[in-house]
């Protein structure tokens, strides 16, 4: 419509230019035969001027002429402006659906870049389309924007009391002292920065066991230690087989490698939302896999609904997108809820029904504290008879449960031997350094320490969560009842001015700039309801909580 | 279930991109099944396919024992534990990047300096190549690579990122030097097939040749890259393992001094501590790029292969001990040179030559004279004999995409002196036996030829000439046109 308005000016003036000549010639003609009925049509303006019956025709005909002229111009204009609107309604299998199935942003970037390359000596030295996508990838995510602000101006009670308090990063400082003390106590056997493991063969204790090439997918002894650790975390209810395990440098590459193994570019995973904002980066960037958020609602306690999954699956299929799996986090990040056994059952059945994968990210499995008991999918899948386990995969890591994010240890645990072998080969791009592995082998094998650590860590998490949730209550913010993780899921919808993503963003801005508190907005987690925020409390000390409360109050009080 | 899950996997998982189904892995399998041990299994296969530097590990070990503060798991270093345990910033520890940049300069003789802000951390050189490929090229784009080249590039650069590698043919006639003609013809060849060339990938010092690239060649490459606007990726993981003259020239030096018009945005260096330092277990790889966009992009991708903060901290301490590093580099070079000389002179005793190299952890051995015929099949045939009968896992030239059969890469820095002597003895014994057999066969052939009344005189004369040569000198077993015969 806007375009049409713009066109109106020049066309109209052109029309006016035409009209005088037209009336000129018709006046000549009119001079000859008089009282000709057709004349009124041919010379409309004259009719208007003469005030006879030509008034209607005189205004109708020029309008019609304008209309046809515009139609002509519109038809002969190049199409790009109208094209992108077509795909949603277009039938599957058409060309537009085929390009639309790759996440649309990279493909559009790709096109513009390749065009730039055709012109020689283009200003930009060519980065790949993927590279450009990655480079700009997290610029617009508030999750990363907040983290960057915190890195620039971090709060410290003594040295920078005006800095930003970071509630955006799920990092656990509550029990670091325990791990640190263990390190100190076992300092004796340090050799090239790796600890000699108890009960290891002598050969591995020498420097050659640390410095030289090791299996890329992890030293077997570490796999065994991790299997034991995971079993302990899952309350001994399930046992893990070290041969089904691949160790990577963190859960981030673990997730990416698994995605590389089970999906081709343009395929999709169904992800119940709200979900961990990092997945948009970790999974989508390089693999070209699409994540389809499947909304969960606060009225259902953010429980996953199979009906919603069905709908999302059908819609994806309609678009021509191949769905390769369902991806959940359990305990949920960001809500902190625990997925009930029945839901896991239903999810597994859904996956089998559609013949797709089921991925459960259980990286917070050992950091539970609530009344709900955590149940691993490993336990549920064992209960099902005749279930094809080859579609079930678990992501785990030590960054959260052992508070060792810096050590970069992630795990892919898969029941599918083909995936294990493919992932083991891909792990060469992201292996863990041998000294770190050796150190962890000895730490994880220290049963007494591990049980003590897990127990104390859970107690401290629970205490901190309790303190923090109560503190938020003081300022009138209610939290979703969480049972695990380093965060709570706070409902601040009362404090947003317009009930929309925009309103949520405004509040987030105010929290960051006025209150100097960085939280993760629900929109970053693809939450369908505005006003929810994820607040991590495990990097705080108890003394920090009053400071947070005071700062939040600045924003909430001014709302009224 | 099997059929079911096959369909469930991606092309990357089901494909052969990892290269481990190739027949070249037979050597590794043979080694894995029966590994040599000087004391316990003297009959086993000796691993000579792994470019690993174990010659100077004792120096590193000694340093670590003398510097307990470098480890966060000692009483002295434990104060740092809290900071290190949760450190997961993908920029890397500032002191680590700083130390790494300084060390890279030190390795290159202090002739160039590196900016710590351009150092991007990756999981080993493997991860570095993978990340660079993701940053620089899209699926279907290609890199040009001078042959022979490191076979795992096919995996590191291509598997996940979908980049293609196109060979630039180099030949033994000029010592496998890279010429502009070969480069242009490879580039034009790719273009005529409609393939977009995104980069030129070189290893300098070369793996598998053990030679270094001259300044002129590097300048030519930099100019070509600028001219055609393709990236130039220089893999310099053996930069500190140049043990003899001429001195190593880094692309960084050429870009900064020799080619003023070079577009630096196109130049990237991969480095790692696995070879020069002998620490592949630490999985430390580095991308150093002059292009801000690539640095930014690769840095974000480095979250897929971060080095453990504990390891970063330790290495930062070690690398910034300049005095130790200087001593280490000098000693490491001395030991590499000694090993290289011992190995090549040992082979010369039986008339086996190697391409004259001055870098790396291996030699490029010339067995062209021992081939039944000049084909890749004959090379593989000989290779299988070496693996299964001689019990050495060496790497055949065809696996390096060498188009001239008969060359083998032999690694000799991953073992102690005694094991190396055993390996040398095995090769010498094999070559002598082979000579003997060949002579016998030729004598037999001569006999038959002499007896056979229907034989033409021509082959008879040829056979006689060949056997005469073979008798006169073992050197003659090498193909006479080889310029490498007298080189070592």
């Amino acid at each position: 419509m806007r375009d049409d308005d713009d066109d109106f000016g020049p066309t109209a003036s052109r029309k006016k230019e035409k009209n005088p000549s037209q009336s000129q010639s018709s006046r000549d003609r009119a001079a000859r035969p008089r009282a000709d009925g057709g004349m009124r049509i041919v010379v409309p303006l004259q009719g208007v001027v003469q005030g006879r019956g030509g008034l209607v025709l005189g205004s109708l005909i020029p309008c019609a002429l304008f209309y046809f002229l515009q139609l002509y111009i519109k038809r002969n204009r190049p199409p790009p402006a109208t094209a992108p609107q077509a795909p949603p309604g277009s039938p599957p299998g058409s060309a537009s659906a085929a390009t639309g199935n790759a996440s649309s942003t990279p493909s559009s970037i790709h096109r513009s870049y390749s065009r730039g390359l055709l012109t020689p000596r283009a200003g930009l030295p060519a980065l790949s389309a993927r590279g450009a996508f990655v480079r700009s990838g997290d610029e617009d995510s508030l999750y990363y924007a907040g983290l960057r602000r915190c890195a620039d101006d971090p709060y410290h009670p003594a040295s920078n009391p005006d800095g930003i308090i970071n509630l955006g990063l799920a990092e656990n400082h509550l029990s670091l002292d325990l791990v640190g003390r263990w390190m100190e106590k076992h300092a004796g056997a340090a050799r090239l920065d790796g600890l000699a493991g108890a009960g290891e063969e002598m050969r591995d204790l020498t420097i050659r066991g640390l410095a030289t090439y090791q299996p890329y997918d992890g030293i077997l002894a570490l796999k065994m230690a991790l299997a034991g650790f995971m079993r302990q975390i899952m309350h001994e209810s399930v046992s893990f087989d070290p041969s089904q395990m691949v160790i990577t440098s963190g859960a981030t590459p673990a997730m990416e490698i698994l995605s590389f193994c089970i999906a081709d570019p343009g395929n999709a995973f169904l992800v119940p939302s709200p979900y961990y904002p990092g997945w948009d980066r970790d999974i989508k960037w390089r693999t070209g896999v699409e994540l389809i958020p499947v909304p969960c609602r606060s009225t259902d306690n953010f429980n996953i609904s199979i009906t919603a999954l069905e709908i999302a699956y059908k819609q994806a299929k309609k678009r021509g997108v191949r769905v390769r799996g369902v991806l959940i986090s359990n305990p949920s990040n960001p809500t902190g809820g625990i997925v009930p056994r029945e839901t896991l059952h239903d999810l597994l059945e859904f996956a089998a029904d559609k013949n797709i994968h089921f991925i459960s990210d259980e990286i917070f499995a050992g950091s539970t504290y609530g009344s709900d008991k955590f149940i691993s999918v490993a336990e549920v899948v064992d209960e099902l008879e005749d279930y094809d386990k080859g579609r079930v995969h678990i992501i785990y890591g030590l960054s959260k449960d052992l508070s060792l994010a810096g050590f970069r240890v992630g795990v892919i645990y898969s029941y599918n031997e083909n995936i294990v072998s493919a992932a083991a080969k891909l792990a060469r791009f992201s292996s863990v350094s041998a000294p770190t592995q050796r150190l962890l082998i000895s730490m994880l094998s220290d049963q007494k320490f591990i049980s003590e650590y897990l127990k104390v860590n859970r107690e401290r998490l629970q205490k901190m969560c309790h303190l923090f949730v109560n503190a938020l209550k003081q300022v009138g913010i209610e939290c979703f009842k969480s049972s695990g993780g380093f965060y709570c899921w706070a409902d601040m919808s009362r404090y947003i001015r317009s009930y929309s993503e925009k309103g949520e963003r405004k509040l987030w801005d105010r929290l960051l700039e006025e209150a100097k508190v960085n939280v993760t907005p629900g929109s970053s987690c693809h939450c369908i309801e505005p006003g929810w925020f994820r607040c991590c409390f495990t990097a705080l000390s108890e003394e920090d909580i009053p400071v947070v409360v005071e700062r939040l109050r600045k924003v909430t009080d001014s709302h009224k | 279930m099997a059929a079911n899950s096959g369909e469930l996997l991606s092309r990357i998982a089901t494909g052969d991109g990892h290269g481990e189904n190739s027949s070249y892995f037979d050597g590794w399998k043979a080694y894995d099944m029966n590994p040599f041990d000087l004391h316990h299994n003297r009959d086993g296969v000796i691993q000579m396919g792994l470019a690993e530097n174990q010659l100077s590990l004792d120096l590193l070990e000694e340093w670590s024992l003398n510097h307990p503060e470098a480890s966060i798991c000692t009483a002295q270093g434990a104060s740092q534990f809290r900071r290190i345990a949760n450190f997961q910033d993908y920029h890397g520890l500032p002191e680590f990047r700083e130390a790494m940049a300084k060390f890279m300069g030190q390795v290159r003789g202090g002739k160039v300096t590196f900016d710590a802000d351009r150092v991007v951390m990756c999981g080993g050189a493997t991860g570095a190549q993978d990340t660079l490929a993701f940053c620089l090229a899209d699926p279907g784009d290609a890199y040009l690579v001078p042959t022979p080249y490191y076979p795992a590039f096919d995996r590191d650069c291509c598997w996940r990122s979908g980049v293609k590698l196109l060979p630039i043919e180099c030949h033994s006639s000029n010592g496998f030097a890279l010429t502009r003609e070969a480069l242009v013809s490879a580039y034009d060849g790719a273009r005529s097939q409609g393939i977009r060339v995104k980069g030129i990938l070189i290893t300098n010092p070369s793996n598998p040749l053990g030679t270094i690239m001259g300044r002129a060649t590097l300048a030519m490459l930099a100019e070509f890259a600028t001219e055609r606007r393709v990236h130039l990726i220089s893999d310099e993981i053996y930069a500190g393992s140049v043990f003899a003259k001429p001195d190593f020239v880094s692309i960084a030096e050429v870009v900064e001094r020799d080619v003023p018009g070079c577009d630096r945005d196109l130049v990237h260096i991969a480095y790692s501590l696995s070879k020069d330092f002998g620490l592949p277990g630490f999985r430390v790889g580095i991308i150093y790029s002059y292009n801000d966009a690539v640095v930014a992009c690769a840095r974000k991708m480095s979250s897929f292969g971060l080095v453990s903060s504990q390891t970063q901290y330790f290495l930062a301490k070690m690398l910034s001990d300049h005095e130790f590093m200087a001593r280490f580099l000098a000693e490491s070079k001395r030991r590499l040179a000694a090993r290289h000389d011992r190995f090549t002179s040992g082979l010369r005793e039986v008339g086996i030559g190697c391409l004259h190299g001055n870098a790396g952890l291996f030699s490029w051995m010339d067995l062209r004279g021992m081939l039944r015929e000049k084909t890749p099949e004959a090379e593989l045939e000989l290779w299988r004999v070496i693996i299964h009968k001689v019990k050495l896992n060496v790497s055949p030239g065809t696996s390096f995409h060498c188009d001239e059969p008969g060359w083998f890469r032999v690694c000799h820095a991953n073992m102690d002196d005694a094991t190396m002597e055993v390996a040398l003895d095995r090769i010498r014994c094999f070559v002598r036996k082979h000579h003997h057999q060949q002579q016998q066969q030729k004598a037999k052939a001569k006999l038959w030829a002499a007896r056979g009344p229907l034989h033409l005189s021509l082959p008879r004369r040829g056979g006689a000439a060949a056997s005469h040569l073979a008798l006169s000198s073992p050197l003659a077993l090498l193909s006479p046109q080889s310029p490498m015969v007298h080189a070592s």
Side-chain angles (χ1 to χ4, degrees):
Chain A
M1 274 326 281
R2 270 208 85 94
D3 287 10
D4 294 358
D5 290 348
D6 290 343
D7 284 341
F8 201 84
T11 340
S13 60
R14 228 178 300 147
K15 199 72 203 162
K16 264 176 207 155
E17 276 168 20
K18 260 186 191 167
N19 280 338
S21 62
Q22 212 175 13
S23 54
Q24 184 88 43
S25 60
S26 50
R27 224 178 286 146
D28 294 349
R29 242 183 292 158
R32 279 175 259 134
R34 242 203 154 270
D36 182 0
M39 181 197 78
R40 281 191 206 121
I41 301 165
V42 180
V43 196
L45 275 182
Q46 197 175 1
V48 176
V49 172
Q50 287 166 355
R52 277 178 251 162
L55 185 70
V56 176
L57 284 175
S59 48
L60 244 175
I61 290 169
C63 281
L65 280 173
F66 285 152
Y67 177 77
F68 284 120
L69 193 74
Q70 278 167 24
L71 201 73
Y72 172 80
I73 289 169
K74 206 171 184 179
R75 283 212 157 182
N76 287 283
R77 201 184 293 153
T82 52
Q85 289 156 9
S90 67
S94 73
S96 55
T99 50
N101 68 15
S103 59
S104 57
T105 347
S107 62
S108 66
I109 289 169
H110 180 90
R111 244 176 280 138
S112 69
Y113 257 89
S114 56
R115 204 175 301 148
L117 285 164
L118 288 178
T119 51
R121 300 192 181 265
L124 279 165
L127 208 64
S128 71
R130 278 182 300 217
F133 177 50
V134 168
R135 196 177 167 224
S136 61
D138 57 19
E139 301 294 330
D140 51 347
S141 161
L142 299 184
Y143 172 64
Y144 291 107
L147 292 181
R148 275 194 297 270
R149 281 280 282 125
C150 291
D152 292 343
D153 184 19
Y155 170 82
H156 189 275
S159 59
N160 189 15
D162 284 335
I164 296 171
I165 297 182
N166 193 2
L167 304 180
L169 194 61
E171 199 170 78
N172 184 3
H173 294 176
L174 300 178
S175 306
L176 270 183
D177 56 324
L178 299 180
V179 187
R181 217 176 302 140
W182 183 91
M183 295 252 184
E184 242 172 286
K185 222 167 84 190
H186 295 77
R191 189 185 274 256
L192 201 64
D193 207 31
L195 282 182
E200 286 262 357
E201 287 172 48
M202 274 310 284
R203 189 167 56 89
D204 291 335
L205 302 188
T206 66
I207 184 158
R208 285 190 167 71
L210 288 172
T212 57
Y213 281 102
Q214 304 293 326
Y216 290 109
D217 57 328
I219 300 170
L220 183 64
L222 180 59
K223 289 185 183 177
M224 284 159 61
L226 265 165
F229 181 67
M230 285 165 74
R231 181 186 158 88
Q232 203 169 349
I233 277 178
M234 321 283 181
H235 306 286
E236 310 282 335
S237 55
V238 56
S239 59
F240 294 91
D241 178 358
S243 69
Q244 286 171 227
M245 200 180 270
V246 174
I247 297 172
T248 62
S249 54
T252 304
M255 191 56 100
E256 194 198 33
I257 287 173
L258 185 60
S259 307
F260 266 120
C261 288
I262 61 184
D264 289 316
N267 294 164
F269 293 155
L270 300 179
V271 195
S273 71
Y275 65 76
Y276 168 55
W279 279 348
D280 285 327
R281 177 196 68 180
D282 301 351
I283 299 174
K284 279 152 79 173
W285 268 4
R286 305 203 296 189
T287 62
V289 173
E290 191 187 341
L291 298 185
I292 302 176
V294 182
C296 302
R297 288 161 202 284
S298 56
T299 45
D300 302 335
N301 282 327
F302 292 104
N303 264 332
I304 300 163
S305 126
I306 301 294
T307 329
L309 281 174
E310 285 278 3
I311 293 169
Y313 183 84
K314 273 187 198 135
Q315 277 175 347
K317 224 174 160 186
K318 221 175 187 177
R319 277 196 296 143
V321 175
R322 180 162 177 197
V323 173
R324 288 295 200 134
V326 180
L327 167 62
I328 66 161
S329 58
N330 183 25
S332 161
N333 184 359
T335 67
I338 280 173
V339 183
R341 188 184 293 266
E342 302 76 53
T343 313
L344 286 173
H345 259 281
D346 295 345
L347 283 166
L348 284 172
E349 256 164 46
F350 176 80
D353 183 39
K354 306 288 186 229
N355 193 21
I356 56 177
H357 293 273
F358 180 70
I359 308 158
S360 176
D361 179 350
E362 304 189 348
I363 194 158
F364 287 103
S367 307
T368 53
Y369 46 79
S371 46
D372 296 335
K373 190 177 161 252
F374 169 76
I375 299 147
S376 168
V377 70
E379 195 182 328
V380 178
V381 85
D382 277 343
E383 291 164 4
L384 292 174
E385 276 173 38
D386 295 337
Y387 192 81
D388 179 4
K389 290 186 182 183
R391 63 179 82 255
V392 181
H393 322 282
I394 298 171
I395 296 288
Y396 189 63
L398 296 179
S399 305
K400 310 297 182 188
D401 285 351
L402 213 52
S403 349
L404 287 174
F407 279 37
R408 313 305 306 146
V409 177
V411 176
I412 301 170
Y413 188 84
S414 171
Y415 291 92
N416 188 320
E417 57 185 277
N418 294 328
I419 286 187
V420 172
S421 84
K425 289 180 184 119
L426 283 165
R428 69 166 57 244
F429 299 116
S430 338
S431 318
V432 185
S433 89
T436 302
Q437 293 196 52
R438 294 279 169 212
L439 176 63
L440 287 169
I441 291 168
S442 9
M443 187 186 284
L444 294 177
S445 318
D446 187 342
Q447 279 300 322
K448 207 174 135 232
F449 164 73
I450 292 295
S451 337
E452 177 71 10
Y453 170 86
L454 286 174
K455 191 171 142 262
V456 174
N457 187 42
R458 278 183 176 133
E459 283 166 11
R460 290 184 185 175
L461 277 172
Q462 182 168 26
K463 186 177 170 207
M464 198 66 185
C465 179
H466 188 72
L467 285 174
F468 190 77
V469 169
N470 281 344
L472 289 186
K473 228 175 242 165
Q474 287 172 30
V475 276
I477 299 170
E478 290 290 333
C479 290
F480 175 75
K481 187 179 150 285
S482 60
S483 297
F486 298 165
Y487 34 73
C488 58
W489 185 234
D491 179 6
M492 303 194 198
S493 52
R494 280 170 60 192
Y495 301 105
I496 59 177
R497 281 180 207 279
S498 69
Y499 189 72
S500 66
E501 196 182 317
K502 212 171 151 194
E504 180 183 287
R505 198 204 153 110
K506 258 195 190 133
L507 179 61
W508 179 81
D509 269 333
R510 288 190 64 203
L511 287 169
L512 188 64
E513 299 307 332
E514 289 172 33
K516 298 221 165 181
V517 173
N518 174 42
V519 291
T520 308
S523 59
S524 292
C525 308
H526 300 264
C527 183
I528 199 169
E529 296 170 18
W532 290 90
F533 290 85
R534 188 187 81 160
C535 311
C536 299
F537 51 76
T538 45
L540 296 175
S541 66
E542 285 181 29
E543 295 83 66
D544 293 334
I545 290 184
V547 185
V548 175
V549 168
E550 198 188 309
R551 288 185 175 195
L552 287 177
R553 216 168 236 145
K554 267 192 228 164
V555 172
T556 53
D557 285 354
S558 69
H559 182 74
K560 294 285 132 62
Chain B
M1 184 202 141
N4 215 0
S5 46
E7 191 200 324
L8 277 171
L9 301 197
S10 71
R11 286 192 290 271
I12 284 180
T14 48
D16 249 353
H18 49 76
E20 288 179 26
N21 294 338
S22 111
S23 59
Y24 300 122
F25 267 78
D26 290 356
W28 289 78
K29 284 175 199 152
Y31 169 74
D32 282 340
M33 273 157 61
N34 183 19
F36 175 85
D37 187 294
L38 197 55
H39 306 294
H40 304 107
N41 187 17
R42 285 191 71 96
D43 207 26
V45 176
I46 299 178
Q47 174 62 288
M48 303 188 96
L50 182 64
E52 195 173 71
N53 184 359
Q54 298 190 1
L55 300 182
S56 305
L57 284 181
D58 56 321
L59 300 178
L60 300 180
E61 188 169 25
E62 188 193 316
W63 186 91
S64 86
L65 290 176
N66 292 335
H67 293 82
E69 76 282 358
S71 165
I72 53 165
C73 34
T74 61
Q76 289 87 338
S79 59
Q80 290 291 328
F81 174 75
R82 269 188 92 87
R83 181 170 72 100
I84 299 303
N86 262 313
F87 188 88
Q88 51 175 334
D89 184 351
Y90 52 57
H91 290 82
L93 280 179
E95 61 256 44
F96 171 72
R97 265 186 301 146
E98 203 68 54
M100 198 69 209
K102 286 225 177 79
F103 177 65
M104 284 172 73
Q106 195 178 10
V107 162
R108 285 155 187 79
K111 283 179 275 184
V112 269
T113 52
F114 292 91
D115 177 2
D117 288 336
R118 296 193 173 280
V119 171
V120 179
M121 201 174 28
C122 305
T126 298
Q129 289 297 351
D130 179 54
T131 305
L132 265 178
F134 270 116
C135 289
L136 303 179
D138 287 308
D141 293 348
Y143 285 170
L144 301 180
V145 198
T147 60
Y149 66 81
Y150 172 53
F153 278 156
D154 288 325
R155 173 195 67 208
D156 298 349
C157 301
C158 309
W159 190 15
R160 296 206 292 193
S161 62
V163 175
K164 278 184 214 155
L165 297 186
L166 302 176
I168 307 172
E169 306 288 351
C170 300
H171 302 280
S172 62
S173 53
N174 61 351
F176 294 100
L178 174 61
T179 61
R180 189 176 165 100
E181 292 72 48
L183 174 60
V184 169
S185 100
Y187 182 82
D188 292 341
R191 290 298 294 261
S192 69
Q193 288 175 56
I195 299 172
R196 187 158 64 152
V197 175
K198 270 311 206 44
I200 304 167
L201 170 61
I202 57 169
T203 55
N204 181 29
S206 163
N207 178 5
L209 300 174
T211 54
I212 61 167
M213 257 184 201
R215 197 178 287 270
T217 313
L218 290 170
M220 181 274 286
L221 281 166
E223 276 159 12
F224 184 87
T226 308
E227 221 171 87
R228 308 290 166 104
R229 293 205 60 76
V230 294
H231 293 279
L232 178 58
I233 304 137
S234 178
D235 184 331
E236 302 188 347
I237 60 173
Y238 293 99
S241 306
V242 181
F243 48 77
K245 294 278 172 191
D247 284 339
F248 171 70
V249 183
S250 168
I251 189 72
E253 209 180 316
V254 172
V255 163
E256 285 177 19
R257 295 211 198 115
D258 299 333
V259 189
C262 170
D263 184 352
R264 290 194 196 186
D265 278 341
L266 296 169
V267 179
H268 321 280
I269 298 171
Y271 189 59
S272 105
L273 296 181
S274 305
K275 308 298 180 183
D276 288 351
F277 225 56
L279 292 178
F282 280 44
R283 310 308 307 141
V284 179
I286 295 294
I287 294 173
Y288 187 87
S289 171
Y290 288 93
N291 185 324
D292 294 334
V294 172
V295 170
C297 172
R299 187 150 276 156
K300 284 179 181 169
M301 287 188 188
S302 67
S303 45
F304 299 113
L306 279 185
V307 180
S308 136
S309 55
Q310 172 213 21
T311 304
Q312 287 185 49
Y313 181 74
F314 174 78
L315 287 172
K317 289 267 185 219
M318 187 187 257
L319 293 175
S320 40
D321 185 343
H322 272 261
E323 200 192 319
F324 168 72
M325 290 318 304
R327 197 154 48 85
F328 173 84
L329 285 171
E331 179 62 18
S332 170
K333 284 178 183 185
R334 198 189 60 73
R335 292 184 190 182
L336 279 173
R339 175 60 60 90
H340 179 263
D341 292 346
R342 175 73 198 103
F343 187 77
T344 49
S345 63
L347 287 181
R348 250 199 316 270
E349 286 170 23
V350 289
I352 297 295
C354 291
L355 182 71
H356 180 76
N358 63 334
L361 315 173
F362 32 72
S363 294
W364 189 235
M365 183 169 71
D366 182 0
L367 296 184
R368 284 177 294 177
M370 292 175 78
L371 294 188
R372 186 172 43 80
E373 55 186 35
K374 281 186 181 172
T375 59
E377 292 73 37
E379 179 184 290
L380 286 182
E381 200 176 285
L382 177 63
W383 178 61
R384 282 182 207 288
V385 173
I386 296 176
I387 291 170
H388 297 294
K389 299 276 163 55
V390 192
K391 299 204 169 165
L392 300 175
N393 177 30
V394 297
S395 316
T398 44
S399 70
F400 295 87
H401 302 263
C402 184
D403 64 347
E404 226 178 279
W407 294 91
F408 292 83
R409 188 190 78 166
V410 192
C411 299
H412 42 62
N414 58 332
M415 56 191 78
D416 52 22
D417 286 329
T419 309
M420 199 272 293
E421 290 299 337
V422 174
L424 209 48
D425 278 343
R426 288 186 184 178
I427 301 177
R428 286 187 292 213
C429 177
F430 169 65
V431 173
R432 286 200 187 103
K433 223 162 103 188
H434 186 85
H435 285 190
H436 187 65
Q437 273 174 2
Q438 242 178 8
Q439 283 165 23
Q440 272 186 340
Q441 264 171 14
K442 280 190 182 132
K444 239 186 218 169
K446 208 166 89 180
L447 205 64
W448 279 106
R451 273 190 202 159
L454 288 174
H455 265 283
L456 292 169
S457 58
L458 199 62
R460 183 171 134 194
R461 232 184 287 152
S467 77
H468 169 73
L469 267 172
L471 283 168
S472 66
S473 148
L475 275 179
L477 273 164
L478 301 167
S479 70
Q481 66 268 35
S482 165
M484 300 311 135
V485 169
H486 301 281
S488 72

